[in-house]
Amino acid sequence: MVNLLRKQMLSIPIGLYCSAIILLKICICSQFSMPSSDQFNKDPGAFPVATNGEPFPWHELRLPKMVIPLHYDLLVHPNLTSLDFVASEMIEVLVKDATEFIILHSKDLEIMNAILHSEEDLRYRKPGKKLNVLSYPAYQQIALLVPEKLMADLRYHVAIDFQAKLADNFEGFYKSTYRTLGGETRTVAVTDFEPTDARIAFPCFDEPSFKANFSIKIRRESGHIALSNMPKVKTIELEGGLLEDHFETTVKMSTYLVAYIVCDFKFVSGTTSSGIKVSIYASPDKWSQTHYALEASLKLLDFYENYFDINYPLPKLDLVAIPDFASGAMENWGLITYRETSLLFDPKTSSTSDKLWVTRVIAHELAHQWFGNLVTMEWWNDIWLNEGFATYMELISVNATYPELQFDDYFSNVCFEVITRDSLNSSHPISNQAETPTQIQEMFDTVSYNKGACILNMLKDFLNGEKFQKGIIHYLKKFSYRNAKNDDLWSSLSNGCLEGDFTSGGFCYSDSKTTSNTLTFPGENVEVKEMMTTWTLQKGIPLVVVSQEGRSLRLRQERFLSGVFKEDPGWRALQERYLWHIPLTYSTSSSNAVHRHILKSKTDTLDLPEKTSWVKFNVDSNGYYIVHYEGHGWDQLITQLNQNHTLFRPKDRIGLIHDAFQLVSARRLTLDKALDLTHYLQHETSILVLLKGLEYLESFYYMMERRNISDVTENLKHYLLRYFKPVIDTQSWSDEGSIQDKMLRSALLKLTCHLNHAPCIQKATELFSQWTESSGKLNLPTDVLKIVYSVGAQTTAGWNYLLEQYELSMSGAEKNKILYALSTSKHQEKLMKLIELGMEGKVIKTQDLAALLHAIARNPQGQQLAWNFVRENWTHLLKKFDLDSFAMRIIISGTTSHFSSKDELQEVKLFFESLKAQGSHLDIFQIVLETITKNIKWMEKNLPTLRTWLQIKI
Ligand code: BES
Ligand code: ZN
């Protein structure tokens, strides 16, 4: 999504859409519009009232366990003209405990008929018994009241006829439209269920632990195709020419993974080495952009089958680019759906970072076919078992299959990104209570994704790769087609022994590599579970404070907080009861080997074999902690960086820069010291380290520019242009070089043109003119495309031309770049026009509105406009997006969280108060307020320092 934010976080410029999760780096929490279950539990005798006034027989959000589903026969007939669907299902259930009712989830469905059949009814073709259906919309449940008690241990069949409109908000079974090259608008119908939206498409036991088999049938017209999780077995022709596709029965799976699509898409396909047919589908005119995804998914599926030592269990896998999509992609088993920009790759307009993004998303969703689909978390509180793992597997698999993308080098950014969120008091533990659909939705945040991935990476580093892999194979095999909890994972990882391995003293050794399987701490009895629960059940990130006295290192752990300071009265209370088991790693000036020590207590001492001039903790930034070097610690490190930075590994240099600026936010280090640390960057040879340093300096520039602090803005501009001159001057406007060369080129030229540097503007203008003169046919280097467009968008003619091209373009990658460029205009009326187009949803799709508002809010000339628009059009926005949707969360945080003044804070507070008064309670309010407060404090403390530092340097 909005390039700027992602760039800030991943140092990779990307198109307008990036993951909603990544965008939501400041997390988001709860809106609870339903009565809380507590309210009901106070009086267990009092039952809720169904819509018809009768008592509803169940009063909990979670379904009872006395009836469980075994099999669903589902027939769906969507009408793409009238935009509704009729459907019927037969659910085979097993009664565990005798009962007089069955509770199911159902939301916004019109139930026409419900009949209960006993096994006997079916055997003797008896008619079955009509069920009385009660509905309790607050909990999205229906109750089927049975005339006679259902008997324990017997199976029954529940037949339900129902219908509904195709949704138009990307949820449940919804309509999506696209425009053909010829200008015709076509409609498709598609599902998107996770986490709690299967219930909008068919009545079901919509909780992840109610796994069942699904036999799906779809009716369609002959001009369309239907796709579902499994391959089609047959098509039968019905009266009137309608066709009915029957799909093979699925393996046992959760409802949120069911999927079906009716469309007229085209595909390319190939076969993996184990014989799985993989196909990539897209709307007909985008077919030519599917080839890269096919190559990548074949490679990645092969990789995962090998790595997990478990075959992909279905005969086929389809990956489909959907024109309107709420998130980035969804891992439905056998039928993965993607936002177009997350799957399609257009060699003419997709940049290197677009390629990395597509590869990552494919890798992520394929990883879910094991982590999530085969083994599913018991409940949504542990969604990190799905998302943290899938995010972590991106790293493992992309490294192995596309080493040239050098994704490994970016991984620390995945961790840095969540640290910003996790160092606010409003963060939450990875494993967190979530009951209502809103709370569940809120669990899909950077804490589950990124922190989950980072603590897994830390654990892998601690155990070693082989043992880690064995452990997860063990976990996946043991819990296949079942559900798992945190503890199940830790048990599997503590004892990674598989059958055939030799176990001794709690460790296991495989025949092949005896030594590498042992834990790396022979002398210590390390309990994986004991250690890992300190990371999953506590929120926040630890700060390790190191002070050196001769050969002795004194260590102390604290909870790291970036907006509350040690001198604040509330600080102590926020520290209480926090303790992590931190697997520390370090190297020293006299030994670059990786030394290890587990810090389990608040304080500890380490004795080094000899006196060293410096010690650097957190080798390769593999650990999830920040390090502060007290006394002369930082000075010694800075001296070493200036003398010979190559004594530290590149990832260590990145870690030092990151930690130093984090410590500035926490008022543990002065800004000038952190800036001094970046001064050696003139000699930096690693592009990634350079990018990291640049990222901070650039972010200060944007902060100053947004606040219109012109003296500092000007001085910073001169400093940046002078300081990075040698490297700016060597940039070419081409697509040449390694991935890192390209990343550096994009980042540097983008900044340079933004700073209005004449040679940059001149070259971009020249390329833009060539492009317009060729009527948009000229292929410009893809890695600088966005910069060229952004410079071009600064004139009215250029802006108008870009908008025309936006409408015509068939490449999502290009459209994102154009939309970003359009949003950088300095003219309010142009920015307003974009917002209007986004609200209209034709030229700029509704799926892109949140990202657009966010992009405009990042533009100094657009920030007030976007913010005012959101406040004034709140009810209009609510008609498009649910309050707890990703889009709304991005809109709220995207248009407010960069504010850094007291007046702005007051405005935001007032707005949130007014929403609360209307009954809208979102935890994101708290997160945004905490972020703005933190920004204000940063400014108060650091603006004078920055000003003085620049005056000296300039
Ligand atoms: N399972 C999610 C899709 C999802 C997200 C469902 C949020 C419900 C709520 C999917 O695997 C996913 O994580 N998608 C990401 C992209 C990924 C590469 C980070 C997304 O949609 O942003
Ligand atoms: Zn995911």
Side-chain angles (χ1 to χ4, degrees):
M1 197 172 284
V2 184
N3 199 5
L4 268 178
L5 184 55
R6 185 186 158 106
K7 153 123 208 6
Q8 211 179 318
M9 292 177 299
L10 285 182
S11 307
I12 308 170
I14 196 168
L16 201 79
Y17 179 80
C18 93
S19 154
I21 317 295
I22 288 177
L23 270 172
L24 282 167
K25 69 167 186 168
I26 65 157
C27 159
I28 327 308
C29 295
S30 138
Q31 172 247 355
F32 187 21
S33 54
M34 305 184 221
S36 77
S37 43
D38 274 5
Q39 241 168 294
F40 287 99
N41 291 340
K42 275 182 201 141
D43 181 0
F47 278 100
V49 180
T51 44
N52 67 355
E54 288 180 34
F56 191 81
W58 189 247
H59 58 85
E60 285 177 31
L61 269 164
R62 297 217 205 167
L63 300 181
K65 299 250 189 280
M66 58 229 184
V67 177
I68 57 166
L70 300 173
H71 181 264
Y72 293 76
D73 252 312
L74 178 63
L75 168 68
V76 188
H77 178 196
N79 184 327
L80 300 190
T81 313
S82 57
L83 301 178
D84 47 23
F85 66 94
V86 287
S88 60
E89 66 181 348
M90 172 83 97
I91 315 177
E92 183 185 359
V93 297
L94 174 65
V95 175
K96 295 288 224 183
D97 295 304
T99 174
E100 287 167 340
F101 55 84
I102 300 172
I103 309 292
L104 289 173
H105 284 112
S106 172
K107 184 183 170 194
D108 298 338
L109 294 172
E110 186 191 337
I111 311 259
M112 279 107 71
N113 202 14
I115 310 273
L116 179 82
H117 301 272
S118 65
E119 295 267 276
E120 195 184 282
D121 292 342
L122 288 184
R123 200 170 317 126
Y124 301 108
R125 294 175 185 273
K126 290 200 210 157
K129 298 185 184 69
K130 196 167 164 54
L131 294 165
N132 188 10
V133 184
L134 299 182
S135 172
Y136 187 54
Y139 281 9
Q140 305 173 355
Q141 290 170 353
I142 53 170
L144 308 177
L145 308 185
V146 294
E148 287 160 29
K149 221 173 188 176
L150 303 179
M151 307 299 285
D153 300 323
L154 289 190
R155 292 174 182 216
Y156 294 86
H157 297 253
V158 181
I160 307 177
D161 297 328
F162 55 98
Q163 63 183 20
K165 287 208 91 43
L166 284 173
D168 54 11
N169 59 354
F170 322 106
E171 288 171 358
F173 195 23
Y174 72 94
K175 88 158 178 162
S176 169
T177 56
Y178 70 92
R179 197 181 46 79
T180 64
L181 263 180
E184 182 195 341
T185 299
R186 293 192 187 159
T187 304
V188 304
V190 53
T191 55
D192 192 35
F193 292 166
E194 193 182 16
T196 57
D197 289 340
R199 63 192 71 171
I200 312 179
F202 59 100
C204 56
F205 296 79
D206 199 9
E207 292 179 6
S209 66
F210 287 114
K211 291 197 175 188
N213 305 97
F214 295 82
S215 304
I216 294 172
K217 296 180 186 134
I218 307 282
R219 287 190 182 161
R220 59 171 171 98
E221 286 174 4
S222 60
H224 286 127
I225 56 165
L227 300 169
S228 187
N229 304 83
M230 296 297 284
K232 193 166 73 179
V233 245
K234 64 175 176 191
T235 301
I236 56 174
E237 198 172 335
L238 307 172
E239 261 175 55
L242 268 188
L243 299 172
E244 188 177 283
D245 290 331
H246 295 203
F247 296 91
E248 272 178 44
T249 301
T250 68
V251 292
K252 250 180 109 182
M253 59 188 245
S254 309
T255 44
Y256 78 89
L257 293 167
V258 171
Y260 35 89
I261 301 173
V262 175
C263 63
D264 62 347
F265 290 175
K266 298 279 174 281
F267 68 98
V268 291
S269 63
T271 310
T272 62
S273 25
S274 61
I276 311 294
K277 184 176 176 197
V278 176
S279 311
I280 316 293
Y281 284 82
S283 62
D285 297 324
K286 294 185 177 163
W287 178 85
S288 62
Q289 300 170 39
T290 53
H291 297 88
Y292 176 70
L294 180 63
E295 174 204 303
S297 45
L298 287 170
K299 267 196 194 185
L300 285 158
L301 200 59
D302 272 340
F303 171 82
Y304 283 132
E305 287 198 322
N306 244 314
Y307 185 88
F308 296 137
D309 189 31
I310 302 173
N311 283 342
Y312 172 77
L314 313 185
K316 66 94 178 174
L317 175 61
D318 297 329
L319 293 81
V320 190
I322 308 292
D324 301 275
F325 204 73
S327 59
M330 175 60 213
E331 69 265 24
N332 318 298
W333 215 342
L335 182 62
I336 311 181
T337 41
Y338 292 80
R339 188 176 272 240
E340 289 185 339
T341 43
S342 300
L343 186 68
L344 303 181
F345 183 84
D346 170 32
K348 293 201 177 80
T349 54
S350 298
S351 65
T352 312
S353 47
D354 293 333
K355 182 176 243 176
L356 179 57
W357 176 246
V358 167
T359 317
R360 277 185 63 182
V361 186
I362 295 176
H364 180 105
E365 306 308 334
L366 291 195
H368 274 314
Q369 307 301 302
W370 286 263
F371 279 104
N373 301 8
L374 187 62
V375 179
T376 314
M377 70 277 142
E378 185 99 34
W379 183 251
W380 301 108
N381 63 322
D382 274 336
I383 187 61
W384 86 277
L385 286 175
N386 277 11
E387 299 302 348
F389 255 111
T391 306
Y392 185 56
M393 290 312 299
E394 290 173 31
L395 169 76
I396 305 269
S397 66
V398 175
N399 262 347
T401 49
Y402 288 92
E404 70 277 15
L405 290 178
Q406 297 182 302
F407 184 45
D408 181 47
D409 297 334
Y410 291 96
F411 187 74
S412 43
N413 286 313
V414 169
C415 308
F416 297 158
E417 205 178 285
V418 61
I419 289 173
T420 316
R421 166 82 189 93
D422 209 20
S423 51
L424 297 179
N425 189 38
S426 55
S427 188
H428 65 82
I430 285 186
S431 197
N432 202 19
Q433 212 205 338
E435 294 298 325
T436 68
T438 300
Q439 289 166 342
I440 291 167
Q441 183 74 28
E442 287 163 355
M443 287 300 289
F444 290 81
D445 71 352
T446 177
V447 173
S448 298
Y449 280 70
N450 297 35
K451 186 173 175 183
C454 295
I455 63 159
L456 289 170
N457 183 50
M458 179 166 70
L459 179 62
K460 189 203 83 172
D461 182 57
F462 171 69
L463 291 175
N464 86 38
E466 205 179 333
K467 185 161 174 66
F468 179 82
Q469 187 183 352
K470 278 196 159 213
I472 61 176
I473 291 174
H474 189 196
Y475 166 79
L476 287 173
K477 289 192 171 165
K478 184 161 177 198
F479 294 97
S480 285
Y481 304 105
R482 299 201 288 140
N483 298 78
K485 299 187 291 296
N486 264 344
D487 281 0
D488 299 323
L489 175 68
W490 306 140
S491 314
S492 303
L493 279 159
S494 319
N495 181 5
C497 304
L498 296 175
E499 264 165 54
D501 288 346
F502 170 64
T503 310
S504 155
F507 298 110
C508 73
Y509 308 88
S510 69
D511 291 342
S512 52
K513 289 183 185 163
T514 308
T515 47
S516 57
N517 276 326
T518 53
L519 284 168
T520 34
F521 293 83
E524 302 185 51
N525 182 13
V526 179
E527 277 287 347
V528 170
K529 182 178 162 195
E530 197 190 344
M531 174 194 279
M532 293 314 288
T533 47
T534 70
W535 299 94
T536 51
L537 303 182
Q538 290 184 115
K539 65 179 176 181
I541 173 164
L543 170 69
V544 176
V545 183
V546 183
S547 58
Q548 192 171 3
E549 274 169 28
R551 287 200 303 111
S552 184
L553 292 179
R554 279 198 287 122
L555 307 175
R556 187 171 82 239
Q557 62 163 296
E558 295 172 8
R559 173 182 173 202
F560 179 77
L561 289 163
S562 58
V564 188
F565 315 117
K566 221 168 172 171
E567 57 275 19
D568 292 346
W571 192 82
R572 186 161 289 280
L574 293 170
Q575 291 292 330
E576 267 163 29
R577 292 194 306 278
Y578 282 86
L579 187 72
W580 286 267
H581 288 196
I582 313 173
L584 296 175
T585 52
Y586 61 96
S587 58
T588 71
S589 52
S590 46
S591 158
N592 65 0
V594 181
H595 303 277
R596 294 174 184 269
H597 177 77
I598 303 179
L599 180 61
K600 286 187 181 181
S601 45
K602 276 272 175 197
T603 57
D604 205 349
T605 312
L606 256 181
D607 288 321
L608 300 175
E610 57 193 306
K611 193 170 178 311
T612 61
S613 57
W614 53 260
V615 186
K616 158 76 180 65
F617 276 80
N618 200 359
V619 176
D620 277 343
S621 301
N622 277 324
Y624 189 73
Y625 54 92
I626 291 172
V627 189
H628 180 36
Y629 304 91
E630 273 185 347
H632 296 298
W634 279 105
D635 292 330
Q636 285 159 343
L637 290 163
I638 293 172
T639 308
Q640 184 57 64
L641 281 171
N642 284 317
Q643 275 170 6
N644 178 7
H645 64 270
T646 61
L647 284 191
F648 301 109
R649 310 166 189 227
K651 284 186 193 166
D652 283 331
R653 308 200 292 264
I654 292 181
L656 285 172
I657 297 175
H658 170 265
D659 285 6
F661 284 105
Q662 287 300 319
L663 290 164
V664 171
S665 300
R667 296 199 180 165
R668 292 303 187 84
L669 200 66
T670 56
L671 179 64
D672 46 2
K673 181 126 326 166
L675 288 168
D676 286 346
L677 186 141
T678 62
H679 214 65
Y680 91 94
L681 283 175
Q682 282 172 332
H683 308 290
E684 182 54 79
T685 39
S686 158
I687 287 179
L688 285 171
V689 187
L690 207 55
L691 280 170
K692 185 92 243 151
L694 185 67
E695 184 187 307
Y696 282 104
L697 296 170
E698 200 181 343
S699 72
F700 300 151
Y701 179 83
Y702 290 126
M703 222 188 291
M704 300 302 141
E705 193 188 31
R706 271 199 298 270
R707 286 286 304 277
N708 207 7
I709 305 172
S710 48
D711 64 320
V712 184
T713 312
E714 270 307 294
N715 284 347
L716 204 45
K717 171 177 161 176
H718 287 126
Y719 177 77
L720 282 164
L721 288 176
R722 206 183 63 203
Y723 187 67
F724 288 100
K725 185 173 191 315
V727 47
I728 290 172
D729 288 349
T730 53
Q731 299 307 312
S732 66
W733 292 73
S734 71
D735 273 342
E736 286 155 14
S738 70
I739 177 141
Q740 297 197 349
D741 293 331
K742 295 176 187 193
M743 299 289 184
L744 182 67
R745 178 178 306 138
S746 298
L748 266 184
L749 294 179
K750 179 169 161 274
L751 174 66
T752 316
C753 278
H754 183 84
L755 298 177
N756 243 327
H757 187 47
C760 189
I761 301 288
Q762 205 181 339
K763 184 67 191 177
T765 311
E766 189 186 309
L767 289 172
F768 188 73
S769 307
Q770 287 171 12
W771 181 66
T772 50
E773 278 156 22
S774 75
S775 306
K777 302 233 160 23
L778 179 74
N779 290 337
L780 293 173
T782 57
D783 294 307
V784 297
L785 206 47
K786 208 169 64 170
I787 305 160
V788 173
Y789 291 161
S790 301
V791 172
Q794 303 310 315
T795 67
T796 297
W799 196 89
N800 289 337
Y801 184 74
L802 280 164
L803 186 57
E804 281 166 30
Q805 291 300 311
Y806 181 82
E807 231 182 311
L808 294 176
S809 175
M810 277 289 154
S811 153
E814 181 176 44
K815 286 177 92 115
N816 274 354
K817 292 178 183 71
I818 298 180
L819 193 51
Y820 169 78
L822 293 170
S823 78
T824 63
S825 169
K826 296 193 171 44
H827 298 127
Q828 306 258 327
E829 73 285 356
K830 293 199 175 69
L831 300 177
M832 200 54 226
K833 163 108 184 178
L834 290 178
I835 297 181
E836 279 162 12
L837 290 173
M839 290 297 281
E840 196 185 34
K842 288 184 185 145
V843 175
I844 300 176
K845 279 181 165 276
T846 307
Q847 68 162 3
D848 297 318
L849 178 59
L852 174 68
L853 283 168
H854 184 107
I856 293 176
R858 298 275 139 173
N859 173 346
Q861 275 76 27
Q863 53 179 344
Q864 205 55 40
L865 184 83
W867 166 228
N868 288 341
F869 180 83
V870 170
R871 283 189 287 177
E872 286 156 18
N873 293 276
W874 186 248
T875 38
H876 289 124
L877 289 168
L878 271 180
K879 285 189 190 128
K880 293 181 186 290
F881 309 110
D882 287 353
L883 185 59
D884 61 354
S885 63
F886 269 133
M888 271 312 208
R889 293 191 270 160
I890 290 167
I891 290 172
I892 298 170
S893 64
T895 54
T896 55
S897 59
H898 56 279
F899 286 147
S900 60
S901 74
K902 286 187 176 149
D903 290 347
E904 289 163 334
L905 176 65
Q906 195 51 28
E907 277 183 31
V908 177
K909 257 189 194 157
L910 277 177
F911 177 58
F912 289 171
E913 290 302 326
S914 75
L915 294 182
K916 281 190 204 157
Q918 296 161 31
S920 303
H921 290 279
L922 287 172
D923 278 5
I924 191 176
F925 298 165
Q926 181 54 30
I927 295 155
V928 166
L929 296 177
E930 217 185 310
T931 304
I932 302 176
T933 309
K934 182 184 121 179
N935 295 345
I936 294 171
K937 290 183 181 173
W938 195 98
M939 279 295 207
E940 271 169 12
K941 173 85 181 163
N942 296 312
L943 178 58
T945 318
L946 182 60
R947 186 173 270 137
T948 318
W949 188 84
L950 283 166
Q951 280 160 358
I952 298 165
K953 296 287 168 195
I954 288 292

